[in-house]
C-alpha cells in the first residue's frame, strides 16, 4: 500500500473464514506474502491483520494433527517456524493489528511482530492455549513469550494454556497498546510505522538485527532438535487423545449454535 511519503508500508491480511485457522496451504500463502514483502526494497513497515470477524487467527486447524505422519508433521511444523523467523527478522518494524481472538499459532505470528496492538472486547482473547488442548509448548516459543512478559507470568499462563483479554495482555507486556475500535487501532498502527519510517533505514535495520541476533542464534541452533522433540510430543498417545477430545468439543459447540 503506497503512502504519501517516501517508501511504502505493506499490509498482509488474513482472510480464511471462519477463524483464520492454519492448514499447510494457508501457511504457504502467508509465507509467500511475507517473502513478497521482503523482496520489496521500498517497504518501511508491515501490518499483519485479519478481515475475519472475531478472529485474528484461531491457530492451527486441529484436525490436521490427527494421525499425522512424521513426514507431514515435519513439513508443517518447519514451515510455521520458518514464517515466524522471517517475520521476526524483518529489517523493518512490524505491527500485529488484532481485532478478535489470537490463539495458538495466531498468537505465535503476532509474537513474531515487533508491536502488538489489540482491540478491547470480552470475546477477544490472546494466548498460547496449546496446553489447554493437550499440546506441549516448545522451548523456543516459551522463551519468546518469557522475553515479552516475565518468567513468572510464563509459568502461570503457558503451563495452564490460559488465553487472556487485551487489558490483561497489555498489563503483562504481551500487548503494546489497546484500543476501543478497529479504526482507532489501524490509525495508530499506520502512525507508528510512518514515524519509524522517518528514521534512517540502515541505522534502524542494523540495530534491530543486533537486538534480535541472540534469540535468532538460539532459534537456529535448536531448530532440528526442536523438530525431533516436538514430533515425539505431538505423536504421544496422550496428546492425540486430547486433540481428538478438543475436536469433538468444537464440533459439539458448532452443532449447538445451529
Amino acid at each position: 500500500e503506497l503512502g504519501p511519503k517516501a517508501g511504502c508500508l505493506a499490509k498482509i491480511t488474513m482472510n480464511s473464514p471462519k477463524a483464520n485457522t492454519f492448514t499447510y496451504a494457508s501457511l504457504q500463502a502467508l509465507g509467500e506474502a511475507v517473502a513478497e514483502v521482503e523482496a520489496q526494497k521500498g517497504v518501511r513497515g508491515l501490518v499483519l491483520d485479519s478481515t475475519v470477524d472475531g478472529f485474528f487467527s484461531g491457530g492451527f486447524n486441529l484436525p490436521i494433527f490427527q494421525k499425522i505422519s512424521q513426514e507431514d508433521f515435519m513439513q508443517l511444523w518447519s514451515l510455521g517456524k520458518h514464517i515466524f523467523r522471517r517475520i521476526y527478522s524483518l529489517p523493518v518494524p512490524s505491527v500485529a493489528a488484532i481485532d478478535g481472538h489470537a490463539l495458538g499459532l495466531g498468537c505465535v505470528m503476532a509474537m513474531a511482530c515487533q508491536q502488538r496492538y489489540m482491540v478491547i472486547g470480552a470475546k477477544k482473547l490472546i494466548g498460547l492455549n496449546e496446553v489447554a488442548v493437550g499440546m506441549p509448548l516448545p522451548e523456543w516459543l516459551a522463551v519468546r513469550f518469557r522475553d515479552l512478559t516475565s518468567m513468572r507470568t510464563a509459568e502461570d499462563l503457558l503451563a495452564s494454556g490460559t488465553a487472556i483479554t487485551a487489558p490483561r495482555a497489555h498489563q503483562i507486556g504481551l500487548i503494546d497498546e489497546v484500543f476501543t475500535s478497529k479504526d482507532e487501532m489501524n490509525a495508530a498502527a499506520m502512525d507508528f510505522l510512518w514515524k519509524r519510517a522517518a528514521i534512517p533505514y540502515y541505522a534502524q535495520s542494523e540495530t534491530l538485527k543486533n537486538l534480535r541476533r541472540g534469540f535468532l542464534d538460539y532459534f537456529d541452533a535448536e531448530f532440528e532438535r526442536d523438530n525431533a522433540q516436538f514430533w515425539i510430543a505431538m505423536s504421544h498417545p496422550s496428546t492425540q487423545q486430547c486433540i481428538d477430545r478438543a475436536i469433538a468439543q468444537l464440533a459439539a459447540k458448532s452443532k449447538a449454535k445451529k
Side-chain angles (χ1 to χ4, degrees):
E1 296 190 344
L2 296 177
K5 307 174 186 179
C8 64
L9 302 180
K11 181 186 288 186
I12 297 175
T13 299
M14 297 179 286
N15 182 27
S16 181
K18 298 179 179 178
N20 274 336
T21 53
F22 286 104
T23 63
Y24 188 83
S26 58
L27 268 179
Q28 277 187 313
L30 178 58
E32 290 168 0
V34 175
E36 186 176 349
V37 171
E38 288 177 317
Q40 299 297 322
K41 294 182 179 180
V43 169
R44 293 295 177 263
L46 169 68
V47 174
L48 178 64
D49 69 1
S50 162
T51 57
V52 175
D53 186 38
F55 282 91
F56 178 75
S57 170
F60 271 119
N61 187 18
L62 281 180
I64 202 172
F65 290 123
Q66 286 182 304
K67 300 177 181 178
I68 190 172
S69 69
Q70 183 172 1
E71 180 181 1
D72 288 345
F73 173 80
M74 290 300 186
Q75 288 183 341
L76 178 69
W77 189 241
S78 294
L79 177 60
K81 286 166 62 179
H82 279 303
I83 295 171
F84 169 89
R85 191 193 191 285
R86 294 181 85 164
I87 296 174
Y88 181 79
S89 61
L90 283 172
V92 296
S94 55
V95 177
I98 304 166
D99 183 23
H101 293 314
L103 304 173
L105 188 59
C107 182
V108 174
M109 294 306 172
M111 288 166 58
C113 294
Q114 182 184 350
Q115 297 279 308
R116 281 154 299 284
Y117 292 177
M118 189 169 179
V119 177
I120 295 172
K123 295 184 178 180
K124 298 173 183 180
L125 303 177
I126 183 169
L128 298 173
N129 64 330
E130 284 82 353
V131 169
V133 295
M135 298 166 61
L137 204 67
E139 181 181 340
W140 64 270
L141 197 46
V143 169
R144 174 62 176 153
F145 188 94
R146 182 196 67 198
D147 288 348
L148 289 170
T149 59
S150 70
M151 182 64 174
R152 186 68 191 95
T153 299
E155 287 182 334
D156 180 28
L157 297 180
L158 299 189
S160 61
T162 302
I164 55 179
T165 62
R168 173 64 175 142
H170 184 229
Q171 181 184 36
I172 66 173
L174 181 59
I175 291 295
D176 297 288
E177 300 286 347
V178 294
F179 303 90
T180 57
S181 73
K182 187 173 184 178
D183 288 343
E184 182 186 14
M185 176 181 67
N186 290 339
M190 299 298 281
D191 182 61
F192 168 80
L193 291 175
W194 278 125
K195 286 179 179 177
R196 291 294 296 268
I199 297 172
Y201 172 77
Y202 176 76
Q204 182 175 194
S205 63
E206 287 298 304
T207 299
L208 289 173
K209 185 188 300 182
N210 291 337
L211 287 166
R212 295 166 180 168
R213 181 176 291 114
F215 177 80
L216 289 174
D217 286 347
Y218 153 75
F219 182 87
D220 294 340
E222 294 294 312
F223 197 96
E224 295 302 329
R225 185 179 73 86
D226 169 76
N227 282 1
Q229 287 190 335
F230 207 59
W231 163 247
I232 293 172
M234 287 300 300
S235 59
H236 193 279
S238 174
T239 305
Q240 288 296 311
Q241 289 170 7
C242 289
I243 290 173
D244 290 344
R245 189 180 307 120
I247 291 171
Q249 291 171 347
L250 288 172
K253 287 182 180 179
S254 178
K255 185 176 180 180
K257 288 180 180 179
K258 294 178 182 179

